[in-house]
Amino acid sequence: MKHGKKYVDSAKLVDRSKYYESPEALDLAVKTAKAKFDETVEVHIRLGVDSRHADQQVRGAVVLPNGTGKKIRVCVFAKGDDAKAAEAAGAEIVGAEDLVARIQGEGFMDFDVCIAAPNMMGLVGRLGKILGPRGLMPSPKAGTVTPDVAKAVNEAKAGKIEYRLDKTNIIHCPIGKASFGAEKLYENYATLMDAVIKAKPASSKGQYIRSCVVSSTMGVGIKINPNKVLKSAE
């Protein structure tokens, strides 16, 4: 694959054979983000678990102390007082049967987070094949199925992200924008890693964090020492 000049210049700053300490890796992620837009910095964590087994799933949600840097559009399935509370908290889209029909019939998907009151899940379940593959299906584990929809909306706006294993046992998560600087990115990174470590399944054996890589949207992958990830997140 042929890379552009900016990528090649950035790659010169990173030693591909080296495992960096977390603060240094995030500093490099900022320095190698040279695109004309404000690049997102992501963490990719390979875990020593098998996602095919129900007792080894790793999934949850955490509020990043410095947010994600992205304006989040929130969709809420609710009625009555719950709907009013969601609107008051700043949810852009609130509805029930009408919203289900809009998503099913018109393909409406102009939102980033989907929240539902518990009494709406019978209705929302109809959208499983649409929302599920996009990672938007409300879930109690992620805190997006809750009787306190206003709190969930506020958390989503404040920078709550969901982490979950993919089929290759890797978690991919954004931790902010390159413009945040290394210090704020590190605070977000440490918060995420702490949550992932605490979510370790009891059935998981051997090394839990197999590898950890950070990179900006258009930047170079920077490896973090997996043996020191636990200490970095403390």
Side-chain angles (χ1 to χ4, degrees):
M1 182 182 293
K2 188 175 181 180
H3 293 291
K5 183 177 182 299
K6 289 181 180 179
Y7 182 95
V8 172
D9 289 343
S10 294
K12 292 175 183 177
L13 300 174
V14 179
D15 183 346
R16 293 297 187 93
S17 65
K18 179 179 177 179
Y19 288 91
Y20 291 88
E21 301 302 310
S22 307
E24 186 181 3
L26 290 165
D27 185 51
L28 276 172
V30 171
K31 289 178 179 176
T32 55
K34 296 184 177 180
K36 292 181 180 179
F37 61 93
D38 192 4
E39 296 183 50
T40 296
V41 176
E42 295 187 345
V43 180
H44 309 277
I45 313 157
R46 183 184 294 277
L47 299 182
V49 297
D50 189 341
S51 61
R52 293 174 297 179
H53 299 293
D55 64 347
Q56 292 193 38
Q57 288 292 328
V58 179
R59 181 179 181 180
V62 64
V63 178
L64 300 179
N66 298 301
T68 62
K70 180 181 178 182
K71 187 180 185 301
I72 303 297
R73 286 180 59 82
V74 180
C75 168
V76 179
F77 290 92
K79 289 181 176 179
D81 290 341
D82 288 335
K84 291 176 183 177
E87 289 173 348
E92 283 81 1
I93 305 123
V94 181
E97 287 87 357
D98 58 327
L99 183 53
V100 171
R102 192 177 175 193
I103 292 171
Q104 285 182 323
E106 301 174 22
F108 175 73
M109 295 296 295
D110 189 18
F111 49 87
D112 306 294
V113 176
C114 192
I115 295 164
N119 61 359
M120 289 284 101
M121 284 310 291
L123 191 64
V124 179
R126 302 175 193 172
L127 301 174
K129 291 184 179 179
I130 300 173
L131 299 179
R134 294 172 171 82
L136 291 169
M137 190 67 182
S139 159
K141 285 187 178 179
T144 46
V145 176
T146 172
D148 193 344
V149 292
K151 180 182 178 184
V153 171
N154 285 327
E155 287 181 340
K157 294 284 187 180
K160 185 174 185 177
I161 59 166
E162 183 179 356
Y163 58 87
R164 60 191 299 178
L165 283 178
D166 67 8
K167 292 180 180 179
T168 60
N169 304 315
I170 299 175
I171 289 173
H172 308 273
C173 269
I175 57 167
K177 298 290 187 179
S179 60
F180 282 18
E183 186 175 339
K184 286 186 176 180
L185 286 171
Y186 177 75
E187 289 173 357
N188 282 356
Y189 162 84
T191 298
L192 171 63
M193 293 307 302
D194 184 55
V196 171
I197 289 164
K198 287 179 179 176
K200 179 181 179 181
S203 59
S204 173
K205 306 297 181 184
Q207 186 176 1
Y208 181 52
I209 306 289
R210 293 288 178 86
S211 67
C212 183
V213 176
V214 296
S215 66
S216 61
T217 306
M218 306 294 288
V220 185
I222 304 157
K223 294 186 288 189
I224 292 176
N225 188 341
N227 297 318
K228 293 189 178 181
V229 163
L230 179 58
K231 291 182 180 178
S232 297
E234 289 176 351

